[in-house]
Amino acid sequence: MQRHLSPYFSQHAEAAPLAVFRIFFGIMMFLGVVRFWAYGWIEKFYLEPDFHFTYYGFGWVQPLGGWTYGLFVLCALAALGVALGWRYRWSSVLFFLSFTYIELMDKTTYLNHYYFISLLAFVMIFLPAQAYFSLDAARRKDLRFQQVPRWAIDLLKVMLALVYFYAGLAKLNSDWLLEALPLKIWLPARFDLPVLGGLMGQEWVHYAFSWAGALYDLSIPFLLWYRPTRGIAFALVVIFHTLTAILFPIGMFPYVMIVSALVFFSPGFHRQLLGVAGRRLGVARSRFDTGRAWRPGSLVRDRALKGMLGLFLLAQLLLPWRYLCYPGELFWTEEGFRFSWRVMLMEKSGYVQFKVVRQQDGKWFYVDNTDFLTAFQEKQMSFQPDFILEYAHYLRDHFQAQGHGEVAIYADAFVALNGRPSQRYIDPQRDLAKETESFAHKTWILPFNDEITGL
Amino acid sequence: MKRLSFTLLTGLALLFGCSSDGDPTPGEDPNPQQFDRRPMLENWADNIIIPSYQAFLQAQATLEADFTAFAATPDVSTLQQVRQSWRQAYLSWQRVDMFEMGPAETDGLRLQVNTYPTDVALVESNINAGTYDLALPSNRDAKGFPALDYLLNGLGADDAAIVQQFSANAGYGTYGADVIEDISVRVNAVLTAWQSGYRDTFVNNDGASATASVDRFVNDYIFYYERFLRAGKMGIPLGVFTGTPAPQTLEAYYSPEDAKAFFLEGLDAVQDLFNGRHASGSGPSLASYLRELNTLKDGQALDQRINAQWDAARALVSGLGSFRSEIEENNPPTDMLLAYDQVQAAVPLLKVDMVSAMSIAIDFVDADGD
């Protein structure tokens, strides 16, 4: 293994694709943060709610009150720093930390693509992405390299490929392929689209979109990697993501994916791109063409870094399969659902009413969820067990602090999945105040009344 | 690999090739899931919403006339007459209460007309002061139907005592007339807005997005059901959110027989809207939309299940005594709690099954999805 890998790890490639990736990534993230702010989401998602849903083990990550705006400023500036390649190490570390902190503040806003960005941001810290066409490299000759290790660029490609491929695997289930669900529910609601609208109600369109989507996700990494199909593949990337951007409210993600896919293109393409950009900006690209190849400062550190990134990649490969450790239907329990590139797979909604029972005298009452949660939080809470439990604990603490003594919390919950009739979701006899959060299977989730086969 | 991309390309070419042909001919598709939302919006606006406001204003005009007569010559018979027309107008209000959107939402009509319990001390102090501005937000709980409830039903121990109060202090008559006028002016403005432009805005916004009319309306509709019909008229007085019954928070508290009738009228209004029923028949509705989507629930169509749930709720509520006696004379008020559970049981059907079948987002947060 070592012998085979050694020559691969000593190979170098043009730095231009990595530089282009860095620039686009930074710009996209900067725009993403500005957009988030402009929509008033900082206020709405992080400042208005009294209570935040946290990730297991990350309860200490909380919004910072008025300073939350500062955090977003920091994040935006760091993204700009990444784009410009200015004090790149600091910028990239700062961007990763601030962005990830923001994501960890409330899992109500969890999106796979935010997670993907955190992962990319993490990896970018360790890549010599500032070696070419950056302010750092312009400033200091000793930081200027025309070539970088080949694995640095390949790592980004692998990460993109993983997202697509796993998203494709996740679609190989009976709901998606045999029932065309949830597209059968979502597409007819888009009847008002110009041109496409008339098609959205047709059943064959639901099936065509489902199958084409699965096929696309599974094949696009290979089509992008393989030079002869690359051009077509990129056209498909543009078409696919534009279509999803039109059909679904998925924000920046389609555009991030489109520009990221450029990393598959040849160094020549990226050099041209930077040449054009350089002329526009009055920076000669040739200034960076030193012919020098970037080499790690310390071999030991380089070894450790590669080992760490290797483990990181391995974790990425394994995480999506962790659902196999849990009994029951994944879509129903959502145990192992997040961080697995399971996107757009479910039309799931729920409704939960919490009953608080005072243990001292048996007096009971229901909770008005709007007293504690925003509409968005309530919606996300209503069909995700870990949210339900965390909120139940919050209610327990709240009402005990109010002087009700020891209280039991029961959930009266109904969930509908992919057009099936709603079904009771949580065992109404189980006192959630006494249940604890862990990675173990939650036995108080009632079993799913139906079966979805496939991966 | 090549063959794969070829298949993909032809597939996509097929999709896009067809899309440029425009809409398919109606009637050709064996499985058309093409519910046109526009006729439903028209049915709502033209046959239900606008006529309901008109009917309300008619009842309101009668109330106004009868109150003027009563204030001019307070006696037991004019009192009973005005009380009767107050009840009719309040009943009629239950048929427009759920339309809190567009012009009504701008005005905050529900808060202006039906904030209860009314603040008796504030009513009295306004009357004593003789000057008051009913447009002030601080006066919301001293006006509307609940304030009239106090004036017509709660001012004295019996009819004679109430008549005596009105005879002794002309301020009561003036205040009542002003409160009635305030309601009329506001609802008139809302109706005028519907008739001069908003109706078209409402109907033309017939798309499908978080801000489209159907999506907004369904959200408001469910919100009304959950918050004002279920919780406001039953849940809060029952104390289901606090553990302590609070009969003083009942609608029409001073007229104990009415709270139940008002609830039932509101339930009828909700169900009629769901089924698209109006004075002269019925039209496209949420129920026919669901039928079109062919959503089966436990072998029974979802629209039938929702209707059955409401029928069950109505049967139990109808069997109750007056809400006030149910709550005040039973501890816990078991029968009314059981009836409440039936009213409650419709919420998940609406909020989970119906909106998910229609792909309507249940809040206006325009957050990204993935």
Side-chain angles (χ1 to χ4, degrees):
Chain A
M1 190 77 166
Q2 186 72 31
R3 220 167 296 143
H4 279 292
L5 282 176
S6 283
Y8 171 77
F9 277 120
S10 58
Q11 285 178 27
H12 279 80
E14 285 279 343
L18 188 56
V20 169
F21 186 86
R22 184 202 79 227
I23 294 167
F24 276 132
F25 181 71
I27 292 175
M28 282 303 202
M29 293 309 109
F30 176 75
L31 293 178
V33 173
V34 170
R35 170 177 178 268
F36 202 91
W37 190 320
Y39 281 6
W41 288 349
I42 301 179
E43 179 86 24
K44 220 173 189 168
F45 297 160
Y46 298 117
L47 301 182
E48 274 174 16
D50 299 322
F51 164 71
H52 293 281
F53 289 100
T54 57
Y55 291 89
Y56 185 45
F58 290 93
W60 52 275
V61 180
Q62 288 287 330
L64 311 171
W67 290 102
T68 311
Y69 284 104
L71 184 61
F72 276 82
V73 170
L74 199 69
C75 188
L77 290 178
L80 269 189
V82 168
L84 297 170
W86 182 76
R87 314 252 173 211
Y88 178 73
R89 287 280 177 252
W90 284 104
S91 296
S92 57
V93 168
L94 216 56
F95 176 73
F96 166 70
L97 290 178
S98 57
F99 188 88
T100 307
Y101 190 94
I102 289 168
E103 289 323 307
L104 289 175
M105 289 193 301
D106 194 329
K107 66 184 170 192
T108 307
T109 54
Y110 171 81
L111 290 182
N112 283 287
H113 73 257
Y114 289 151
Y115 169 55
F116 184 51
I117 282 161
S118 269
L119 294 183
L120 280 179
F122 175 73
V123 163
M124 288 291 282
I125 295 173
F126 306 102
L127 305 185
Q130 81 283 34
Y132 193 76
F133 213 78
S134 71
L135 288 183
D136 285 351
R139 198 161 44 93
R140 282 173 54 182
K141 212 172 170 192
D142 57 317
L143 293 178
R144 210 176 293 162
F145 301 95
Q146 193 182 346
Q147 299 201 310
V148 292
R150 184 180 155 188
W151 63 262
I153 297 170
D154 283 349
L155 179 59
L156 294 174
K157 292 184 192 172
V158 169
M159 288 179 63
L160 275 166
L162 270 181
V163 172
Y164 279 119
F165 194 70
Y166 273 119
L169 286 182
K171 291 184 172 70
L172 302 182
N173 66 70
S174 53
D175 268 15
W176 185 273
L177 296 174
L178 305 181
E179 308 289 337
L181 285 166
L183 291 184
K184 198 183 267 178
I185 301 172
W186 289 340
L187 293 181
R190 303 312 318 272
F191 61 85
D192 57 330
L193 284 179
V195 190
L196 286 173
L199 283 170
M200 292 295 120
Q202 312 265 346
E203 195 165 29
W204 69 267
V205 174
H206 310 152
Y207 280 97
F209 273 49
S210 296
W211 282 75
L215 222 54
Y216 167 87
D217 280 339
L218 287 171
S219 60
I220 204 73
F222 306 102
L223 297 176
L224 280 169
W225 218 303
Y226 186 53
R227 212 192 56 78
T229 52
R230 194 170 293 147
I232 294 169
F234 189 71
L236 288 178
V237 168
V238 172
I239 292 170
F240 176 83
H241 286 297
T242 309
L243 209 54
T244 57
I246 294 170
L247 288 173
F248 309 110
I250 48 180
M252 300 277 295
F253 182 62
Y255 312 107
V256 171
M257 289 309 264
I258 289 174
V259 297
S260 298
L262 288 174
V263 77
F264 285 94
F265 279 80
S266 69
F269 168 83
H270 288 96
R271 287 175 57 79
Q272 256 182 339
L273 208 62
L274 291 178
V276 173
R279 273 195 294 284
R280 286 274 164 83
L281 298 167
V283 189
R285 191 205 64 212
S286 55
R287 188 168 165 194
F288 300 94
D289 290 334
T290 58
R292 291 201 306 147
W294 181 89
R295 292 195 193 284
S298 138
L299 277 179
V300 179
R301 251 174 47 197
D302 190 55
R303 276 268 168 83
L305 174 64
K306 279 176 191 155
M308 189 270 289
L309 289 177
L311 284 177
F312 169 82
L313 212 52
L314 187 69
Q316 293 308 311
L317 274 170
L318 294 179
L319 265 179
W321 299 106
R322 73 187 189 283
Y323 79 96
L324 294 170
C325 304
Y326 295 99
E329 170 54 48
L330 169 66
F331 287 4
W332 187 249
T333 66
E334 299 205 28
E335 292 174 319
F337 191 83
R338 266 173 250 143
F339 315 117
S340 306
W341 319 120
R342 297 176 197 281
V343 289
M344 311 225 65
L345 290 174
M346 309 190 293
E347 162 65 36
K348 195 176 180 191
S349 54
Y351 172 82
V352 201
Q353 195 179 220
F354 290 89
K355 189 176 189 175
V356 180
V357 182
R358 288 156 50 123
Q359 297 305 75
Q360 49 188 350
D361 54 6
K363 257 180 94 167
W364 59 267
F365 54 90
Y366 286 114
V367 174
D368 183 352
N369 292 327
T370 56
D371 286 348
F372 304 100
L373 304 179
T374 63
F376 187 35
Q377 287 178 314
E378 187 181 0
K379 175 181 152 188
Q380 295 291 343
M381 178 274 291
S382 65
F383 58 83
Q384 301 185 70
D386 55 334
F387 283 66
I388 291 176
L389 185 64
E390 191 178 357
Y391 180 51
H393 288 171
Y394 173 77
L395 291 174
R396 172 195 66 198
D397 298 344
H398 173 84
F399 287 112
Q400 285 179 355
Q402 271 200 352
H404 289 278
E406 198 185 329
V407 296
I409 311 276
Y410 300 98
D412 187 27
F414 293 88
V415 167
L417 173 59
N418 278 351
R420 292 175 180 81
S422 64
Q423 186 203 319
R424 198 174 265 287
Y425 192 51
I426 304 291
D427 185 345
Q429 314 296 334
R430 290 286 278 273
D431 175 8
L432 295 180
K434 292 207 168 60
E435 303 296 335
T436 48
E437 179 60 271
S438 75
F439 287 125
H441 170 58
K442 296 175 167 58
T443 52
W444 37 268
I445 305 172
L446 292 172
F448 184 45
N449 275 347
D450 201 350
E451 198 185 355
I452 303 171
T453 52
L455 287 178
Chain B
M1 204 82 86
K2 273 216 171 112
R3 200 179 311 146
L4 204 58
S5 74
F6 175 73
T7 327
L8 261 178
L9 264 190
T10 29
L12 277 162
L14 208 72
L15 288 183
F16 282 87
C18 290
S19 65
S20 52
D21 294 344
D23 292 357
T25 329
E28 271 183 7
D29 186 44
N31 186 13
Q33 295 199 344
Q34 302 270 72
F35 185 81
D36 190 355
R37 294 177 169 201
R38 194 184 176 87
M40 176 164 76
L41 290 171
E42 286 171 347
N43 186 39
W44 287 347
D46 300 339
N47 300 328
I48 301 179
I49 299 176
I50 292 175
S52 296
Y53 278 125
Q54 287 167 332
F56 171 78
L57 283 171
Q58 260 181 13
Q60 182 69 9
T62 312
L63 170 61
E64 206 164 343
D66 287 346
F67 191 87
T68 310
F70 166 62
T73 46
D75 60 41
V76 171
S77 98
T78 50
L79 173 62
Q80 281 170 352
Q81 179 63 39
V82 68
R83 201 180 267 153
Q84 179 56 26
S85 38
W86 165 82
R87 184 173 295 121
Q88 283 309 319
Y90 211 164
L91 270 174
S92 186
W93 165 257
Q94 309 300 336
R95 293 220 162 241
V96 297
D97 197 3
M98 69 178 129
F99 306 131
E100 187 87 352
M101 57 181 168
E105 189 180 16
T106 312
D107 189 41
L109 190 64
R110 184 182 288 137
L111 278 177
Q112 304 278 5
V113 171
N114 197 19
T115 296
Y116 57 90
T118 202
D119 185 341
V120 170
L122 187 57
V123 172
E124 290 288 356
S125 88
N126 278 344
I127 291 168
N128 284 333
T131 55
Y132 39 81
D133 180 0
L134 291 181
L136 285 178
S138 56
N139 272 327
R140 274 182 198 152
D141 43 9
K143 64 173 186 173
F145 286 104
L148 292 173
D149 176 34
Y150 168 66
L151 293 180
L152 296 176
N153 302 307
L155 210 49
D158 56 22
D159 288 3
I162 296 171
V163 167
Q164 167 58 30
Q165 291 268 27
F166 270 87
S167 311
N169 183 353
Y172 286 113
T174 317
Y175 194 74
D178 287 342
V179 167
I180 292 173
E181 160 112 14
D182 180 71
I183 299 172
S184 304
V185 167
R186 287 177 191 281
V187 180
N188 246 314
V190 168
L191 177 62
T192 309
W194 270 93
Q195 288 170 326
S196 55
Y198 187 74
R199 181 260 175 216
D200 291 340
T201 312
F202 179 73
V203 169
N204 290 333
N205 187 8
D206 60 353
S209 66
T211 53
S213 288
V214 171
D215 299 64
R216 297 287 308 262
F217 183 87
V218 167
N219 268 285
D220 291 339
Y221 173 73
I222 295 175
F223 186 65
Y224 169 75
Y225 183 80
E226 202 184 354
R227 205 124 249 264
F228 297 96
L229 196 66
R230 177 200 69 136
K233 296 189 201 308
M234 285 185 85
I236 293 171
L238 274 169
V240 296
F241 304 108
T242 56
T244 313
Q248 73 283 3
T249 60
L250 276 167
E251 191 174 29
Y253 174 72
Y254 299 100
S255 178
E257 296 305 315
D258 285 325
K260 189 176 101 176
F262 293 166
F263 171 87
L264 288 170
E265 188 73 11
L267 183 61
D268 288 348
V270 162
Q271 195 169 2
D272 285 347
L273 190 282
F274 178 76
N275 291 310
R277 267 199 300 267
H278 50 82
S280 50
S282 67
S285 64
L286 293 170
S288 62
Y289 193 173
L290 286 174
R291 282 195 294 276
E292 201 101 8
L293 292 168
N294 199 20
T295 316
L296 290 178
K297 244 193 98 82
D298 291 355
Q300 199 182 11
L302 180 54
D303 62 304
Q304 288 175 16
R305 262 201 82 183
I306 292 173
N307 275 315
Q309 185 55 52
W310 278 330
D311 292 343
R314 181 179 298 102
L316 278 195
V317 173
S318 302
L320 297 171
S322 85
F323 282 179
R324 192 164 150 189
S325 64
E326 289 286 346
I327 297 174
E328 287 179 343
E329 288 160 25
N330 300 290
N331 186 24
T334 314
D335 292 346
M336 192 166 162
L337 282 170
L338 286 174
Y340 172 83
D341 285 345
Q342 291 301 314
V343 175
Q344 159 67 27
V347 176
L349 292 176
L350 297 173
K351 226 174 168 174
V352 178
D353 295 272
M354 183 174 87
V355 299
S356 125
M358 292 175 181
S359 196
I360 286 173
I362 198 64
D363 58 67
F364 303 130
V365 180
D366 49 350
D368 294 338
D370 72 359

